[in-house]
Amino acid sequence: RRYVAGGQCKSAAKLEGKVVIITGANTGIGKETARDLARRGKVIVACRDVAKAEAAASEIRAETGNQQVIVKKLDLADTKSIREFAEKFLAEEKELHILINNAGVMLCPYSKTADGFEMHLGVNHLGHFLLTFLLLERLKQSAPARIVNVSSLAHHGGQIRFHDLHGEKSYNRGLAYCHSKLANVLFTRELARRLQGKLLYFAIGTKVTANALHPGSVHSELVRHSFVMTWLWKIFSFFLKTPWEGAQTSVYCAVAEELDSVTGQYFSDCQPAYVSPRGRDDETAKKLWNVSCELLGIQWD
């Protein structure tokens, strides 16, 4: 059981006077990440289901004594909602120090977002891509700042199918999830390169870092779209991480002092982890960046 639990974040860093946004923080590892960071500073819980988010935030406030746990509506499957969230945040908050792109969907039957994107790609990649774009200047102004993208070991099974990004020619919901998690890794890599210049692994430019991570196999609601996976998760729960254990690498990437100048990396169990060859393909990362901008109708140079 101790082996399954993986690494733990040992940092006691405080975030007094700092502001954190966590997407999808009403359940699972997002909620546990919010619970930990609420013991350190101000946390904005950005979720589609406001009622569930309020219940989670109320629980966290009561447990931590921190009243600065604030719920804001954010639906990553709708670019209008993402823009509204960003607009309100920028009007209300003058600083942003940590952005944790945690929310995600997994094993969805074929469906599309409000903007016509395949659901896994739309929520897991494009939604967070747009959110980061809209908030990046505030992160730069508040630097040193960090962007943390929750990816997955599943990125090893993914590929960026530019000829069929939205799965209209062929669709497998397991592979669609893998593709979106690979997109998270490639986005992180290209974002770090653009923020820091030519020296990929050490922040010398904006002092905004971007790292990705694999939380581990976690007993959470993420598999709710699959009856088989839900059943297997219950049977083998002893071999899965708890949400608290799964949140440790997210917390580590957000606060660990030794990562102050580390960027463009991928972590698992609170340490650097192996990235698939496709996840290290800079040409694919650049092309995905450009295609993502086209799909979202933005210019991000």
Side-chain angles (χ1 to χ4, degrees):
R1 185 74 191 94
R2 200 175 299 122
Y3 174 79
V4 171
Q8 289 186 22
C9 177
K10 305 293 187 183
S11 173
K14 293 296 183 184
L15 300 174
E16 285 141 355
K18 296 193 174 182
V19 180
V20 181
I21 291 176
I22 309 175
T23 67
N26 63 317
T27 187
I29 66 172
K31 181 179 176 182
E32 293 305 320
T33 304
R35 193 193 309 274
D36 183 290
L37 298 185
R39 295 189 175 95
R40 305 170 190 257
K42 182 174 182 176
V43 176
I44 293 174
V45 175
C47 298
R48 179 178 55 84
D49 190 326
V50 173
K52 279 188 178 180
E54 284 289 1
S58 179
E59 178 188 317
I60 292 169
R61 287 186 212 110
E63 183 178 320
T64 63
N66 181 4
Q67 297 308 303
Q68 292 292 292
V69 180
I70 300 165
V71 173
K72 298 291 181 183
K73 182 173 177 59
L74 171 64
D75 184 353
L76 288 160
D78 185 347
T79 58
K80 182 181 177 184
S81 174
I82 298 168
R83 290 182 180 277
E84 287 175 351
F85 168 86
E87 185 179 342
K88 289 177 182 176
F89 172 83
L90 294 172
E92 295 170 2
E93 301 287 344
K94 299 309 175 191
E95 294 188 300
L96 175 60
H97 302 89
I98 301 170
L99 171 62
I100 303 179
N101 291 319
N102 164 83
V105 294
M106 180 180 181
L107 302 175
C108 299
Y110 189 76
S111 56
K112 290 188 174 181
T113 68
D115 301 273
F117 309 139
E118 186 277 315
M119 190 61 71
H120 292 90
L121 183 79
V123 171
N124 297 352
H125 169 59
L126 291 171
H128 283 128
F129 187 96
L130 178 60
L131 180 65
T132 306
F133 166 75
L134 295 170
L135 298 178
L136 188 59
E137 284 308 310
R138 189 56 45 90
L139 284 158
K140 288 180 180 178
Q141 292 162 10
S142 309
R146 301 186 187 191
I147 299 164
V148 179
N149 294 324
V150 179
S151 181
S152 170
L153 183 69
H155 85 271
H156 286 269
Q159 64 181 111
I160 306 302
R161 304 168 70 246
F162 290 109
H163 67 286
D164 189 24
L165 271 180
H166 303 294
E168 293 168 327
K169 296 176 182 175
S170 65
Y171 180 75
N172 176 291
R173 56 186 180 174
L175 288 176
Y177 176 73
C178 295
H179 301 334
S180 71
K181 294 290 101 179
L182 175 60
N184 293 154
V185 172
L186 291 169
F187 168 47
T188 303
R189 187 175 182 88
E190 180 65 7
L191 177 60
R193 186 188 71 81
R194 287 169 179 258
L195 286 171
Q196 314 306 338
K198 294 180 181 178
L199 194 58
L200 182 59
Y201 293 114
F202 293 94
I204 57 172
T206 61
K207 299 217 177 286
V208 178
T209 63
N211 290 298
L213 66 99
H214 167 55
S217 297
V218 181
H219 197 281
S220 71
E221 295 179 11
L222 193 60
V223 296
R224 63 187 179 277
H225 292 293
S226 169
F227 172 78
V228 172
M229 289 295 289
T230 301
W231 182 69
L232 288 172
W233 247 227
K234 287 180 179 178
I235 291 176
F236 296 105
S237 61
F238 184 79
F239 298 100
L240 300 173
K241 288 186 178 184
T242 65
W244 181 86
E245 291 163 350
Q248 292 304 298
T249 306
S250 295
V251 174
Y252 174 75
C253 288
V255 304
E257 297 89 340
E258 62 267 33
L259 300 187
D260 280 346
S261 60
V262 175
T263 191
Q265 292 237 37
Y266 171 76
F267 293 86
S268 179
D269 285 330
C270 301
Q271 59 187 0
Y274 179 74
V275 178
S276 74
R278 284 176 177 154
R280 289 179 268 122
D281 187 329
D282 289 333
E283 290 307 309
T284 300
K286 291 172 188 175
K287 185 175 179 180
L288 177 63
W289 183 284
N290 292 332
V291 169
S292 298
C293 287
E294 289 172 16
L295 289 169
L296 292 164
I298 60 175
Q299 284 190 315
W300 191 357
D301 297 320

